[in-house]
Amino acid sequence: MNKIKYLLLFYYLLTFLSTNGRNINIKFYASLYKTKNPSQLLYSLLQNKKITNGDTITFPQDTYYFSPIDRDVCLTLENLSDITIDGKNSKFIYHGICQPLYVYKSSNINIQNFTIDWDTTYVIQADIIKHNKDFIDITIDSQKYPFIIKNKKLYLKYDDKELPIITSNQNLYNKKTKEIVPGSWDNNLGNVFEEECISIGPNKIRFLTKSTSTKFYNDKKIILRTLHPFRDAICIEKSNQISLKNIHINYCPGAAIRLQHVNNVNIENSYASIDSISNRVFSSEQDNLHANNCKGIIKISHCSPSGMGDDAINIHGRYYKLLAIEDSHNVTVQIVNTLPEIDEFFWFVDHKNMKRTKSCQIQQISTRINPQNHSIEAHISFKEAIPYSIKVGDYLESKTWTPEVDISYCDFGRQNRARGILVTTPQKVRIHHNYFHTAGTAIMIAGDVNHFFESGSCNDIEIYNNTFDNCVTSGTAYNGWGTATIMINPDIFNKETQYHNNINIHNNNFKNTYSHLLYAKSVNGLSFHHNRYKIRKKYKPIIIENCKNYRIE
């Protein structure tokens, strides 16, 4: 009888494995393959073509522990279509430098219903128990954040490594609200935590270097970051029709979600979030969402990001600086992060006025490492002749990869450093029905040719029906977090040109405002009307610099 059962089961498995559009139950296959590591199981299934187009990968609700298999990635979906990953509200736990999910050259991918976390983080959360002009005392939970004091320096113990503390984005938090302490920003205490320290009791450490801060931050939490490689939680490249739904990233050593060359993505209730059970004040070490050179539409709704080490949302293109012009069809450009593609259309941008000129299509491209400064350079051949007016020092900007953006029904708080939304795209942008109470500026519309080369000038932005509640509690003119609730501040060479166009801000509610409402620079076609606000007398509500055709009511 048992023999017949096994034969029937074997026949069922053969039938199941040969049918498209199946439900791949991870627990069932884990017992079949005799492995407890989902990464190993998924790698085997993908390598042996047991997961094919149209399949649904299901994780029955549980806690799953992943270890990386292929290039530090725990799950890679490459050249696949119509795949669904359903976590069924499971918790996915990772360890070490790894990337939970990488999607590449795939289409119609639906990812949903799980939480991502690490068993041990690459940051230390500490409590300041005494802070005066002579020393700083902190306490660290050594079970959650194993540490060692070696040669009077503090290190995080991670497996067989001892990672030094670095002075980078060391932010201060209120213990109860877990919000950035008002008036504080990056590294307020200087490089104290890289200096000498001694143990003064179980889990208690005294740093002996005098703080450069004129304020004392007793009874506050502080994040101490370490020197380590970065890895994003979810990275999606060169893919189409992506849906992320009901995904929470409690920690990752990079950005929570990174998009690059993605066409059409819907992000619903998916974001970096503080794990309240662990009493942390941090989540992803970089942005919640960083989208670079995408197209179609990026639609974001019902997200409440918190605890990030950088901005909530950053959506932009990329400028490529023109290094050399060989002839009428061939140029060399400097590469920053994103490599152009064959058949991609590029605008040529005059660096003096930052105006887009003729666009040309790439025919060939090759890259090299500059032996002098080790930067990446690309030699590009265009199908058409480049504009005769273009000179070395001008820029290229992708015309192909420019997305529309719609952000709605989200909550952007001050439980993360820096700002809320950063967006630059020439396509339509709609930001509506959101709640902002950010430590820095709520919405920043920039454009940059001096630092990160994040393009480009905007043509159609509408910001409406939002609530801005006491934003910019930690913003200043020199810390980069912003000085106004909404900032339009392109970082360009020519201060006389108009960089952005057609920005309409209306029917918003500005509450408890202790900063400028709007700072706008270099805009042609700016409208600020039918907004409700009450502002302190010391602040000028609206500051306009070098704008044309603007309407303020």
Side-chain angles (χ1 to χ4, degrees), residues 498-510:
Q498 281 69 54
Y499 181 77
H500 293 298
N501 304 280
N502 304 320
I503 299 176
N504 188 4
I505 304 166
H506 65 93
N507 293 99
N508 300 286
N509 186 15
F510 295 83

Side-chain angles (χ1 to χ4, degrees), residues 208-371:
L208 305 173
T209 302
K210 291 186 178 182
S211 171
T212 58
S213 173
T214 57
K215 293 182 180 179
F216 299 138
Y217 294 99
N218 290 291
D219 202 33
K220 299 293 187 291
K221 289 186 180 294
I222 189 167
I223 297 303
L224 306 179
R225 304 189 187 275
T226 63
L227 187 62
H228 64 82
F230 289 105
R231 293 292 185 277
D232 306 317
I234 298 173
C235 182
I236 303 171
E237 287 188 295
K238 299 184 179 181
S239 297
N240 302 287
Q241 307 299 335
I242 304 296
S243 173
L244 305 178
K245 186 179 291 186
N246 304 326
I247 303 169
H248 296 158
I249 296 97
N250 292 155
Y251 173 77
C252 70
I257 302 168
R258 189 177 299 276
L259 310 174
Q260 189 163 285
H261 286 159
V262 176
N263 178 23
N264 290 326
V265 59
N266 181 58
I267 301 173
E268 181 179 348
N269 189 33
S270 298
Y271 51 88
S273 63
I274 294 171
D275 177 19
S276 57
I277 297 176
S278 68
N279 198 34
R280 293 180 191 158
V281 298
F282 63 90
S283 59
S284 65
E285 290 204 45
Q286 296 180 339
D287 295 326
N288 164 64
L289 169 66
H290 197 116
N292 174 23
N293 278 31
C294 295
K295 67 180 180 180
I297 183 168
I298 299 175
K299 186 174 177 59
I300 303 163
S301 64
H302 301 95
C303 294
S304 302
S306 61
M308 302 83 68
D310 212 339
D311 306 304
I313 295 174
N314 190 355
I315 299 171
H316 61 87
R318 184 73 67 189
Y319 283 127
Y320 302 87
K321 190 172 184 178
L322 193 57
L323 301 178
I325 301 174
E326 282 79 28
D327 55 40
S328 62
H329 288 72
N330 294 278
V331 301
T332 299
V333 300
Q334 180 179 336
I335 298 297
V336 180
N337 295 330
T338 311
L339 188 66
E341 299 180 318
I342 291 175
D343 293 330
E344 186 173 351
F345 282 92
F346 271 83
W347 284 300
F348 287 83
V349 180
D350 188 324
H351 80 278
K352 290 183 178 180
N353 59 26
M354 295 310 297
K355 301 298 183 184
R356 300 179 178 109
T357 61
K358 176 183 175 181
S359 65
C360 297
Q361 190 175 20
I362 294 179
Q363 185 172 42
Q364 289 183 332
I365 183 170
S366 61
T367 60
R368 73 172 191 126
I369 303 296
N370 186 312

Side-chain angles (χ1 to χ4, degrees), residues 446-460:
D448 163 34
V449 295
N450 292 318
H451 299 92
F452 301 105
F453 299 93
E454 295 179 355
S455 66
S457 63
C458 300
N459 292 326
D460 181 7

Side-chain angles (χ1 to χ4, degrees), residues 40 46 71 77 96 98 102 154 162 190 231 246 251 256 295 314 352-353 401 412-413 456 507 521 524 540 547:
Q40 180 65 64
L46 287 163
R71 297 170 294 175
L77 300 180
C98 64
Y102 181 51
L154 177 65
E162 296 171 354
R231 293 292 185 277
N246 304 326
Y251 173 77
K295 67 180 180 180
N314 190 355
K352 290 183 178 180
N353 59 26
W401 294 97
F412 299 99
N507 293 99
K521 179 176 72 174
N524 181 21
K540 187 177 180 181
C547 293

Side-chain angles (χ1 to χ4, degrees), residues 357-402:
T357 61
K358 176 183 175 181
S359 65
C360 297
Q361 190 175 20
I362 294 179
Q363 185 172 42
Q364 289 183 332
I365 183 170
S366 61
T367 60
R368 73 172 191 126
I369 303 296
N370 186 312
Q372 295 181 333
N373 58 20
H374 306 291
S375 63
I376 302 175
E377 298 177 357
H379 177 83
I380 299 175
S381 295
F382 288 100
K383 294 180 180 180
E384 304 86 3
I386 66 175
Y388 71 92
S389 60
I390 290 301
K391 304 171 292 300
V392 170
D394 288 338
Y395 296 92
L396 274 66
E397 178 189 5
S398 178
K399 180 180 180 180
T400 301
W401 294 97
T402 56

